[in-house]
Amino acid sequence: MKGYFLIRLAGKNLLRYKRRTIITVTVLAVGIAFFLLMDSMLMGTRRESELALIYYEMGEGRLVTPEYWDDWKNLPLADSLENPDELAKALSEAGIPSAKRTEFTATAVVRTGIGGSFPVVVTALDPKEDRRVNRLAETVRTGRFPSEGEDGTALGEWMAQDMGLEVGDAVTLEVTDRWGSREAVELEITGLVNSPNSQINRSYMFITLDTADDYLALEGAVSHIQVDLPAGRRERARAEERIISIAAQYGAEYHGWRDWSADYLAAAGGDTYSSGVILFLVFIIASVGLANTMLMSVMERQREMGMMRSLGMKEGALLRLFLYEAGLIGILGSTGGIVLGLLGNIPMVNRGLDFSFMMRDFSVGYRFTGIIHGVWNGMSYLYGLIAGVLICLAVTWFSLHKIIKLPIIEEMRA
Amino acid sequence: MKKALILTFFFTLLAAAGAITGEEIIEKCDELQSFDTQKSTGTMISHDRFGDITSTFISWSRGDREFLLEFTNPEEAGQKVLRVNDTMYLYDPDAEETIRLSGSALKDTLFGDISYEDVSEGNDTLDTYNAVLDREELKKGQNCYRVILTAKKRNAPYYKQILWINRDTYVLVFGEYYSKRDVLLKNIEVLGVKEVGDKFILSHLILRDLVKGDSHTEMKLQDIELNPVLEDRLFTEEALF
């Protein structure tokens, strides 16, 4: 029997069982659309978080001493970069924007608000210089960054809220200087930072480089130099080569943001696996719904099968007929799902979904503060189309391959 | 008149020759606290605005550089802190792994206001500080030498210490710890001393973190055994498991 005839017959059959066709196509379309939206949201979460990590926390990369890199998780001030100005000048001459920073841990002691002490990460920077590589300076929502020479601090807004602190309140930092000697630093809160990076809002404090230099006995040293890279893959690679070469001349090492965020990326990698499982479950649920309607369709049409076989239709042709029907349903359902997914993804990409109500108090390692923007991922749409068709074919084949081998008389009695 | 002046000068020289120096006081103080090996049991009580937390422990030490502490109270039973030279290891039986601490991590809190560094401090004060006898005065009802220690090494945990040391026993009575900017960071008050053999062991003391202000930590040693025989294996990372 010719394929063209079978395809036409399959199309007619679909029109004959309109209600069933519509239900099956809708189930598949909703499943595919749900998969696409989930995929967009999960990919958007990762992208949003990575950008927040680069723009507000890590920069594109950092230059440090080899000794610092070996122990960087402890933020070892003892292994700071000496003469960072010379290195920064060399980077500037090579057209690489850079900013000096010093990061250290401290215990913050507050006597106003709820009072008490808590561990914090303190970043010392020069706000003017930092704008070259980081967007943090734009995120001071209340007050201002401390000025040069001022014993002040800007701190994460969420942390301030948790501690009941406001601009004008005092915070004492218990610190250990570069050489291991203890010091206490009395600071006035000059501003509150509310950035798109949840980690910054939750546990970071910012002071000026000269305050850090003074209290931590740094004598001009800084823990690292943060750099920015140009857009474009080739340009970035070239810039990184230049940075590595310059760093080597000054006894420093360059590490891109991925090196610094290995723990985060490992966790995100685990989440990618979990996301895959979620998407797989979405498919399973859609497949079960689809299998149910397809199985019903095959069972209900057993007599029809028996009759067609008694009229001389071969088993292979009958199997192909049903597979063509399934394929058409798959194409219609997947296309419908893609259209639904596209339409649903437009507001997700443009406006995003607001999860801030739960992100404020819920730390999962991701750096975004709550609004997740979806992304466009062409491959997911292609996978959705292919998978939709394949699922329909597989489910039909499983439903049909036993029934079709039954004696004709038994099929007619069904 | 000339004769009187000569006599005065002579007696001043004699007095100066016989006067004790700050360094000698600290040396004696350290000496009283020094022993080859020690084993003790004790209690640490942290008092803050949320209430009291009590931990009990057994500790072993050998010289200045080897120290092992094991918590024995049910909540922390089996947790151990080992110091070998400048490296410290923490062991948590629940996690079944050791964490190696070095550098600034040693300043972290072990218990209440006591840092890891505080419990494992050696008796080599004069290696790190210059000691000057400031004056003699009454402190906590005891006749004391008031000795001012100033850091001679940049890595000294405190830039300045003022110690009140009992004039007769050379045992620490009270201490104040200052930062380079002269901020009073901590103080220590000794409430009890046990005499074991020819040594005086600080057996009951209170440590106050004056920056935090609202807390203090009390440490009591109950059973103190000096110079017990300790196996070499005790001060190794493997012995933590």
Side-chain angles (χ1 to χ4, degrees):
Chain A
M1 212 166 268
K2 294 214 169 171
Y4 177 66
F5 170 76
L6 286 177
I7 290 170
R8 276 186 62 193
L9 186 59
K12 281 184 179 171
N13 279 343
L14 291 185
L15 291 174
R16 203 152 52 93
Y17 299 103
K18 265 187 200 145
R19 188 184 290 173
R20 190 188 301 138
T21 305
I22 289 169
I23 291 171
T24 315
V25 166
T26 307
V27 167
L28 182 60
V30 169
I32 298 282
F34 192 62
F35 159 76
L36 292 172
L37 292 174
M38 282 286 286
D39 181 66
S40 165
M41 197 184 75
L42 292 168
M43 283 188 74
T45 306
R46 280 198 295 277
R47 182 173 156 269
E48 205 93 21
S49 189
E50 285 182 8
L51 289 179
L53 195 76
I54 295 167
Y55 290 158
Y56 303 98
E57 199 175 334
M58 291 289 167
E60 291 281 7
R62 292 173 169 186
L63 287 91
V64 291
T65 62
E67 297 78 19
Y68 188 96
W69 174 248
D70 289 342
D71 190 29
W72 74 268
K73 285 184 182 170
N74 287 322
L75 306 177
L77 282 177
D79 299 317
S80 294
L81 274 171
E82 300 287 353
N83 305 318
D85 290 325
E86 289 174 24
L87 182 49
K89 193 180 167 198
L91 289 167
S92 170
E93 284 168 0
I96 310 287
S98 68
K100 301 184 291 290
R101 280 183 162 210
T102 291
E103 209 161 68
F104 59 99
T105 52
T107 302
V109 181
V110 291
R111 291 182 185 82
T112 49
I114 66 165
S117 58
F118 51 99
V120 286
V121 180
V122 186
T123 300
L125 51 88
D126 175 346
K128 283 181 200 159
E129 193 182 274
D130 213 66
R131 280 174 202 275
R132 293 180 208 150
V133 298
N134 209 300
R135 299 184 183 181
L136 196 75
E138 303 158 12
T139 63
V140 181
R141 295 277 185 268
T142 314
R144 58 179 173 78
F145 248 95
S147 315
E148 200 175 328
E150 182 183 19
D151 285 349
T153 178
L155 70 158
E157 195 174 70
W158 295 357
M159 177 166 66
Q161 285 166 358
D162 291 344
M163 300 309 296
L165 296 170
E166 292 172 359
V167 171
D169 287 343
V171 178
T172 305
L173 288 184
E174 270 190 318
V175 297
T176 303
D177 75 15
R178 184 183 179 187
W179 309 101
S181 197
R182 293 167 194 239
E183 190 56 84
V185 189
E186 194 81 30
L187 301 169
E188 184 189 334
I189 299 171
T190 60
L192 303 179
V193 174
N194 189 334
S195 80
N197 183 321
S198 54
Q199 207 65 15
I200 296 279
N201 302 345
R202 195 174 283 123
S203 59
Y204 271 68
M205 288 181 74
F206 299 92
I207 61 173
T208 59
L209 269 179
D210 58 331
T211 301
D213 193 82
D214 204 12
Y215 285 98
L216 301 175
L218 291 171
E219 295 161 5
V222 295
S223 65
H224 61 272
I225 289 181
Q226 206 154 295
V227 293
D228 195 22
L229 296 176
R233 193 175 290 179
R234 279 187 192 170
E235 289 79 1
R236 289 170 76 85
R238 261 187 241 128
E240 283 192 312
E241 273 174 26
R242 283 203 300 274
I243 295 168
I244 290 166
S245 154
I246 293 167
Q249 291 168 30
Y250 290 87
E253 278 181 9
Y254 168 76
H255 294 276
W257 74 269
R258 287 179 184 279
D259 295 342
W260 295 96
S261 314
D263 287 350
Y264 160 76
L265 290 170
D271 285 352
T272 305
Y273 175 74
S274 313
S275 307
V277 171
I278 291 170
L279 294 176
F280 179 69
L281 287 175
V282 168
F283 256 123
I284 293 287
I285 293 164
S287 304
V288 169
L290 199 65
N292 193 33
T293 49
M294 295 299 274
L295 191 64
M296 288 289 286
S297 143
V298 170
M299 299 298 277
E300 278 176 12
R301 291 168 65 190
Q302 272 196 61
R303 276 188 182 187
E304 185 184 326
M305 279 187 236
M307 190 191 72
M308 288 170 90
R309 283 173 70 192
S310 64
L311 289 173
M313 195 172 187
K314 301 283 181 204
E315 288 160 16
L318 195 60
L319 185 64
R320 271 157 60 205
L321 173 67
F322 272 83
L323 288 177
Y324 285 146
E325 283 182 32
L328 285 172
I329 285 175
I331 290 168
L332 286 172
S334 300
T335 309
I338 285 170
V339 171
L340 277 178
L342 281 166
L343 292 174
N345 206 29
I346 292 170
M348 266 184 61
V349 170
N350 294 334
R351 289 165 59 189
L353 285 177
D354 190 355
F355 286 95
S356 53
F357 65 96
M358 58 186 275
M359 288 311 296
R360 168 68 179 79
D361 302 308
F362 182 56
S363 175
V364 286
Y366 280 117
R367 300 304 206 265
F368 61 92
T369 50
I371 296 177
I372 301 169
H373 290 92
V375 291
W376 294 110
N377 181 15
M379 290 308 285
S380 297
Y381 287 81
L382 185 65
Y383 291 149
L385 183 70
I386 295 169
V389 175
L390 288 179
I391 286 172
C392 287
L393 293 174
V395 163
T396 306
W397 187 82
F398 276 112
S399 314
L400 201 65
H401 81 285
K402 274 189 182 170
I403 294 170
I404 217 162
K405 284 176 189 164
L406 290 173
I408 293 173
I409 196 74
E410 271 189 45
E411 283 187 340
M412 295 289 280
R413 273 197 209 127
Chain B
M1 182 62 186
K2 196 177 174 184
K3 198 175 176 183
L5 276 174
I6 290 168
L7 275 175
T8 309
F9 179 68
F10 175 74
F11 281 119
T12 308
L13 277 180
L14 206 64
I20 192 160
T21 66
E23 291 193 349
E24 284 167 344
I25 296 165
I26 295 299
E27 256 173 31
K28 286 184 185 233
C29 185
D30 277 355
E31 175 57 28
L32 282 171
Q33 302 289 317
S34 302
F35 26 78
D36 294 334
T37 57
Q38 184 206 17
K39 182 184 175 187
S40 55
T41 60
T43 308
M44 288 191 273
I45 309 161
S46 166
H47 307 267
D48 63 21
R49 62 194 174 125
F50 299 113
D52 295 349
I53 299 172
T54 303
S55 289
T56 54
F57 63 87
I58 308 178
S59 72
W60 300 263
S61 62
R62 185 164 65 183
D64 285 348
R65 316 301 290 172
E66 291 171 310
F67 171 86
L68 175 67
L69 181 142
E70 180 177 352
F71 286 101
T72 51
N73 55 305
E75 299 84 4
E76 296 155 297
Q79 289 183 21
K80 294 175 188 173
V81 180
L82 169 69
R83 178 188 170 170
V84 180
N85 297 318
D86 290 328
T87 308
M88 196 164 269
Y89 303 89
L90 309 183
Y91 171 72
D92 185 339
D94 294 334
E96 290 185 348
E97 63 174 0
T98 54
I99 300 168
R100 189 168 180 261
L101 293 182
S102 58
S104 62
L106 294 176
K107 320 278 178 189
D108 290 347
T109 298
L110 163 70
F111 183 86
D113 303 300
I114 299 174
S115 67
Y116 293 110
E117 199 173 56
D118 288 334
V119 292
S120 59
E121 227 173 20
N123 292 316
D124 48 3
T125 313
L126 293 177
D127 287 348
T128 316
Y129 293 93
N130 287 315
V132 174
L133 172 59
D134 181 36
R135 58 176 180 260
E136 292 179 27
E137 67 180 19
L138 204 64
K139 186 78 174 176
K140 303 286 174 190
Q142 299 179 47
N143 286 316
C144 292
Y145 291 119
R146 186 179 189 267
V147 181
I148 299 177
L149 304 181
T150 314
K152 60 182 176 189
K153 287 182 179 172
R154 300 181 93 168
N155 62 355
Y158 303 98
Y159 180 74
K160 187 175 88 175
Q161 298 184 25
I162 301 179
L163 305 179
W164 283 264
I165 293 164
N166 188 296
R167 207 174 169 279
D168 304 317
T169 61
Y170 293 96
V171 171
L172 180 71
V173 173
F174 195 83
E176 290 178 341
Y177 302 89
Y178 293 83
S179 76
K180 198 171 184 179
R181 288 168 183 270
D182 223 23
V183 178
L184 178 54
L185 302 170
K186 280 187 181 180
N187 72 23
I188 184 172
E189 183 177 354
V190 178
L191 300 174
V193 177
K194 274 191 181 167
E195 194 174 346
V196 185
D198 59 343
K199 305 287 182 186
F200 289 98
I201 308 294
L202 309 182
S203 60
H204 185 192
L205 52 89
I206 291 182
L207 201 69
R208 297 183 187 86
D209 185 326
L210 300 168
V211 178
K212 288 178 187 153
D214 60 355
S215 67
H216 64 271
T217 301
E218 205 174 338
M219 193 163 155
K220 292 176 186 171
L221 294 183
Q222 277 98 30
D223 302 312
I224 303 167
E225 195 182 334
L226 287 191
N227 301 320
V229 178
L230 301 179
E231 287 179 31
D232 289 345
R233 190 181 170 276
L234 195 64
F235 302 104
T236 61
E237 201 181 338
E238 291 73 38
L240 293 173
F241 293 96

